[in-house]
Amino acid sequence: MDDFPRNSKCYTNAIENRLDIRDFESLNGVVQNLIREAVKIREKAYCPYSNFAVGAALLTEEDTKVYTGCNIENAAMSPTLCAERTAIPKAVSDGYLKIKMIAIVAHQKDSFTAPCGVCRQTLSEFRGSDGDVQIYLCKPTMDQVLCTSLSEILPLSFVSYKTDSVKS
């Protein structure tokens, strides 16, 4: 049984105290650039239904090119694409299958916007050689950044049982 009920202030504080939140200026130039690109692409989000714009920028292991994506909504909702799942296919279609890091930018007043479950699993499909993806969550103001990793936010990801057929 948990020490704290999941809906209690104590539980929330326990989680918040473990978060790695850093000032934007303290991050290295590569990460800062990634966040800036995510902020920029966020402006192109097509979100007439939710008005919740999200931008993502990723860097692969094999290249220095930044791949960006924004959320694209649809009236039917299920065809809606998250920002992460518009950036990932760009990298994959250029032949890059290993994601080193991704920055995700959206505005929530009191928290950071993390990838949804589908995006987490999609990131897992293309995780880096070390088995992980560095994740940087930020608001458009670029003041503070939550630094985490895929293994932290998706500890029990589904992995193909057919590893022999998966490209490395």
Side-chain angles (χ1 to χ4, degrees), residues 58-72:
L58 66 84
L59 188 64
T60 64
E61 279 185 2
E62 307 94 342
D63 195 18
T64 57
K65 180 179 177 185
V66 173
Y67 293 91
T68 60
C70 58
N71 56 319
I72 303 169

Side-chain angles (χ1 to χ4, degrees), residues 84-148:
E84 302 90 326
R85 287 183 294 123
T86 60
I88 293 169
K90 290 178 178 181
V92 172
S93 64
D94 276 356
Y96 300 105
L97 303 177
K98 302 232 180 261
I99 298 171
K100 181 177 183 178
M101 62 181 71
I102 188 166
I104 302 158
V105 173
H107 177 74
Q108 283 190 33
K109 184 179 178 186
D110 296 323
S111 66
F112 295 90
T113 301
C116 74
V118 173
C119 288
R120 292 175 194 206
Q121 188 60 48
T122 303
L123 284 166
S124 178
E125 187 74 18
F126 301 103
R127 62 195 179 280
S129 297
D130 65 356
D132 215 349
V133 177
Q134 297 168 32
I135 299 175
Y136 301 94
L137 307 177
C138 191
K139 297 176 185 179
T141 55
M142 295 189 303
D143 49 358
Q144 292 190 313
V145 181
L146 191 157
C147 305
T148 188

Side-chain angles (χ1 to χ4, degrees), residues 25-89:
E25 296 300 327
S26 72
L27 301 170
N28 71 45
V30 172
V31 174
Q32 287 183 6
N33 183 57
L34 208 60
I35 292 169
R36 284 188 194 102
E37 291 294 321
V39 168
K40 191 163 71 173
I41 196 68
R42 179 180 173 268
E43 295 173 12
K44 295 184 179 185
Y46 177 74
C47 50
Y49 307 105
S50 71
N51 293 315
F52 190 72
V54 182
L58 66 84
L59 188 64
T60 64
E61 279 185 2
E62 307 94 342
D63 195 18
T64 57
K65 180 179 177 185
V66 173
Y67 293 91
T68 60
C70 58
N71 56 319
I72 303 169
E73 293 182 349
N74 186 287
M77 290 306 179
S78 54
T80 293
L81 294 171
C82 297
E84 302 90 326
R85 287 183 294 123
T86 60
I88 293 169

